[in-house]
């Protein structure tokens, strides 16, 4: 009873979570039944940006920019974006799910140059303050703050050459090994957590040791993101960028930092909103074909396994479909036509899991077990088979995601989510339903088994010697 209660609780919690992220309006601009699921270039369209380069341009510059932007877009969860070169002095970027080109420009157009700087002075001014003269101000510059927690038009005089003892140290984004969005448990909202490599951790400790009681500016693309006061020397190689960011802002900033600095400056030459790359007829036909396939599978399971087991299989399929869509909304994964193909593929995998379990339950019933005992034994003995089959497919999905790009990654994402949902649905959700329906399931193999036992005894009785019946055995 205790295990059954735990299974029911987990099923309900998962259902609540996926339904919440699937239907709760996260973004007012996204409307419709499944408005929380971002759609790809082939279904919805997006933004087109073209750039030219300025700076130290080499023959490999375009390929370097493509690699960095590809990594930046993947980290920001735009796995379906297209990045291509325009000769040796330009680049073209197509980003799905973004109707506002300015939003795309904020992610692509920035160089992503991160560094830490010593704060020498702070001024509030509507215009940039005049430079300060003196040896202590050599190399310093005024930078505007983007920290919403400080008054508007706040300028910081910063120097990236931080005074540490008799010398100076520099700490920039090349020393950051990882950056990710995290919840700010102190003030709410989101922040960016940074992790340094071994050299960066040592430099960061020395810098914070030298600046105890003083502000340390965190600068990205010549804007001060924040300038917290150093309370004590920080060991462990970790830092936080706070500022009451939204999740999307924190995610994009973390992607900028992880992807590294661009080797050149990008100059925007064209921006526009583009429509779907596939026609509406193709999209509608694909959706209709998918729905027809699902309907055929639902009908087949009801006909072959009867109203009870067939209903369990159908409900498991619907549950897994909601799980996949809800997880796509939760992870902000972009759905494309290859992704829809991945969803339809997992439908067959879900049915396979239930078929294995149902056939095993039938085998247990043929041995004379009650439906309840047969269900318990059937799920227990099917678990290893289902895990082996799905984990092998999961490994293939991981390989596709790691080595693939664009639509291949999108297919791998939906396939991975579908496989995880299939394992959960087959072993947990279906078990809950089968336990509930067990009192209504009859062992149709039990009467035939009893009859077989009677028939096997009668021939022995017929072959008894008549004389043995009258007087017993004769010596």
């Amino acid at each position: 009873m205790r295990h059954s209660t735990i299974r029911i609780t987990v099923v309900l919690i998962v259902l609540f979570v996926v339904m919440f992220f699937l239907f709760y309006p996260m973004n007012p601009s996204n409307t419709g039944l499944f408005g929380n699921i971002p759609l790809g270039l082939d279904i919805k369209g997006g933004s087109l940006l073209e750039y030219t380069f300025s700076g130290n341009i080499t023959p490999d510059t375009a390929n370097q920019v493509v690699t960095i932007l590809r990594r930046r877009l993947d980290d920001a969860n735009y796995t379906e974006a297209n990045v291509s070169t325009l000769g040796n002095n330009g680049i073209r970027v197509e980003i799905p799910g973004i109707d506002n080109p300015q939003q795309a420009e904020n992610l692509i157009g920035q160089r992503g140059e991160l560094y830490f700087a010593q704060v020498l002075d702070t001024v509030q001014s509507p215009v940039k303050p005049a430079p300060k003269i003196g040896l202590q101000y050599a190399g310093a510059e005024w930078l505007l703050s983007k920290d919403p927690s400080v008054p508007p038009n706040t300028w910081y005089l910063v120097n990236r050459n931080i005074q540490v003892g008799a010398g100076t140290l520099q700490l920039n984004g090349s020393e950051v090994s990882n950056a990710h969005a995290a919840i700010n448990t102190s003030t709410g909202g989101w922040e960016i957590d940074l992790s340094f490599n071994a050299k960066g951790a040592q430099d960061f400790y020395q810098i914070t040791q030298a600046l105890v009681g003083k502000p340390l500016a965190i600068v990205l693309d010549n804007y001060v993101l924040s300038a917290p006061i150093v309370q004590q020397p920080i060991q462990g190689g970790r830092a936080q960028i706070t500022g009451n960011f939204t999740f999307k802002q924190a995610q994009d900033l973390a992607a900028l930092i992880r992807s590294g600095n661009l080797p050149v400056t990008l100059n925007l030459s064209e921006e526009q909103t583009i429509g779907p790359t596939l026609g509406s007829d193709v999209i509608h036909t694909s959706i209709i074909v998918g729905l027809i396939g699902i309907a055929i599978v639902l009908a087949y399971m009801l006909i072959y396994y009867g109203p009870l087991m067939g209903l369990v299989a159908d409900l498991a399929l619907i549950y897994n479909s909601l799980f996949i869509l809800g997880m796509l909304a939760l992870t902000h994964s972009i759905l494309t036509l290859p992704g829809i193909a991945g969803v339809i593929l997992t439908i067959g995998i879900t049915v396979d899991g239930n078929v294995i379990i149902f056939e095993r339950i039938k085998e247990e019933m043929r041995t004379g077990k009650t439906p309840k005992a047969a269900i318990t034994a059937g799920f227990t003995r099917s678990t290893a088979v289902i895990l082996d089959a799905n984990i092998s497919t999961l490994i293939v999905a991981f390989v596709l995601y790691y080595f693939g790009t664009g639509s291949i990654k999108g297919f791998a994402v939906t396939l991975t989510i579908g496989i995880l949902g299939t394992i959960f649905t087959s072993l947990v959700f279906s078990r809950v339903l089968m336990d509930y329906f067990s009192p209504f399931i009859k062992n149709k193999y039990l009467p035939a088994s009893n009859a077989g036992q009677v028939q096997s005894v009668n021939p022995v009785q017929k072959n008894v010697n008549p004389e043995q019946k009258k007087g017993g055995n004769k010596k």
Side-chain angles (χ1 to χ4, degrees):
M1 181 64 69
R2 179 173 176 268
H3 295 291
S4 178
T5 303
I6 293 175
R7 282 192 290 266
I8 294 174
T9 303
V10 172
V11 166
L12 293 177
I13 291 175
V14 171
L15 181 62
F16 173 78
V17 171
V18 297
M19 295 292 283
F20 175 82
F21 283 98
L22 185 58
F23 295 109
Y24 185 79
M26 300 291 180
N27 189 348
S29 62
N30 294 332
T31 58
L33 185 60
F34 303 113
N36 293 334
I37 301 177
L39 301 178
L41 288 169
D42 51 358
I43 299 178
K44 186 179 179 181
S47 294
L48 167 66
L49 303 172
E50 291 186 358
Y51 295 92
T52 57
F53 305 149
S54 62
N56 185 18
I57 302 174
T58 65
D60 294 331
T61 297
N63 291 331
Q64 293 176 8
V65 172
V66 168
T67 301
I68 292 174
L69 292 185
R70 179 77 266 169
R71 189 186 310 129
R72 184 178 294 182
L73 289 165
D74 287 346
D75 288 345
N77 222 23
Y78 293 107
T79 56
E80 304 294 332
N82 296 326
V83 183
S84 57
T85 59
L86 297 175
N88 294 325
N89 193 36
I91 197 167
R92 176 189 178 100
V93 182
E94 296 174 342
I95 307 179
I98 297 182
D99 298 328
N100 183 6
Q102 183 59 43
Q103 184 182 354
E105 165 68 9
N106 293 336
L107 178 63
I108 296 298
Q110 300 186 65
R111 293 194 63 169
E113 184 181 7
L114 174 77
Y115 65 88
F116 293 79
Q118 183 176 359
V119 177
L120 304 178
D121 197 4
T122 305
V123 172
Q124 294 184 32
S125 172
V127 296
K128 186 175 182 177
K132 286 199 170 187
I133 309 299
L135 290 177
Q136 68 270 32
Y137 301 119
E141 60 178 335
W142 288 102
L143 297 180
L144 184 63
S145 174
K146 279 191 172 182
D147 188 352
S149 63
V150 301
N153 299 322
T154 298
W155 293 82
Y156 290 94
L157 183 62
V158 301
N159 193 336
R160 67 171 65 199
N161 298 306
I162 303 173
Q163 191 72 33
V164 178
T168 60
L169 282 177
Q170 287 190 2
L171 184 60
N172 53 47
S174 62
E175 310 295 341
V176 176
S177 60
N178 191 22
H180 64 274
I183 296 177
N184 189 332
T185 57
S186 300
T187 61
W190 291 83
E191 65 183 17
I192 300 98
D193 286 353
L194 305 178
S195 300
F196 297 99
N197 57 24
K199 181 181 181 301
Q202 180 63 27
D203 291 346
F204 187 63
Y205 171 71
Q206 295 182 22
I207 289 172
T208 54
Q209 189 177 37
L211 296 181
V212 172
K214 300 177 182 179
L216 176 65
I218 304 173
V219 181
L220 179 67
D221 288 340
N222 294 325
Y223 286 97
V224 177
L225 294 180
S226 64
I229 302 296
V230 178
Q231 303 294 337
Q232 60 184 2
I234 301 175
Q235 292 180 317
R238 295 185 179 275
Q240 291 80 34
I241 303 176
T242 58
N244 293 326
F245 302 107
T246 65
F247 170 75
K248 191 61 182 172
Q249 290 172 337
Q251 185 185 47
D252 290 348
L253 285 175
L256 284 174
I257 296 169
R258 285 196 304 268
S259 62
N261 303 343
L262 288 171
V264 292
T265 301
L266 300 183
N267 303 309
L268 183 63
S269 59
E270 181 181 353
E271 63 177 5
Q272 60 176 318
T273 301
I274 57 177
T277 57
L278 296 177
S280 58
D281 293 341
V282 176
I283 298 172
H284 291 159
T285 301
S286 302
I287 295 175
I288 291 174
V289 169
L291 293 176
I292 292 175
I294 294 174
I296 293 174
V297 172
L298 293 174
Y300 172 80
M301 296 302 290
L302 280 174
I303 294 173
Y304 187 81
Y305 284 102
L308 288 182
M309 286 189 176
L311 179 62
V312 170
D314 290 350
L315 291 177
L317 194 151
I318 296 173
Y319 185 93
N320 193 27
S321 300
L322 291 175
F323 177 87
I324 296 172
L325 296 176
M327 292 305 295
L328 288 174
L330 172 62
T331 58
H332 302 280
S333 300
I334 297 175
L335 183 63
T336 61
L337 281 183
I340 294 176
V343 174
I344 296 175
L345 177 61
T346 56
I347 292 173
I349 299 175
T350 305
V351 172
D352 285 344
N354 283 282
V355 168
I356 292 172
I357 294 171
F358 293 163
E359 292 300 323
R360 190 65 197 183
I361 292 174
K362 287 183 178 181
E363 291 179 7
E364 298 297 331
M365 285 185 175
R366 290 189 182 100
T367 64
K369 291 183 179 179
T370 63
K372 182 68 175 177
I375 290 171
T376 301
F379 275 94
T380 301
R381 298 182 180 182
S382 301
T383 299
V385 178
I386 293 174
L387 289 178
D388 289 344
N390 285 282
I391 289 175
S392 60
T393 309
L394 198 60
I395 293 173
V396 175
F398 286 155
V399 172
L400 288 175
Y401 183 84
Y402 185 80
F403 292 102
T405 58
S407 299
I408 296 177
K409 271 197 171 183
F411 174 79
V413 168
T414 55
L415 183 59
T416 300
I417 295 174
I419 293 170
L420 295 176
T422 295
I423 295 174
F424 177 80
T425 302
S426 299
L427 299 180
V428 181
F429 179 77
S430 296
R431 177 65 182 274
V432 170
L433 293 183
M434 289 299 293
D435 285 342
Y436 177 78
F437 288 130
S438 61
F440 307 100
I441 299 176
K442 304 300 180 183
N443 189 346
K444 63 181 181 179
Y445 305 102
L446 194 56
S449 176
N450 291 338
Q453 292 175 2
V454 173
Q455 292 173 0
S456 63
V457 174
N458 288 339
V460 177
Q461 295 176 349
K462 291 180 180 179
N463 293 331
V464 175
N465 193 332
E467 294 183 0
Q468 293 178 351
K469 291 183 178 180
K470 296 179 180 179
N473 293 333
K474 291 184 178 180
K475 295 184 180 180

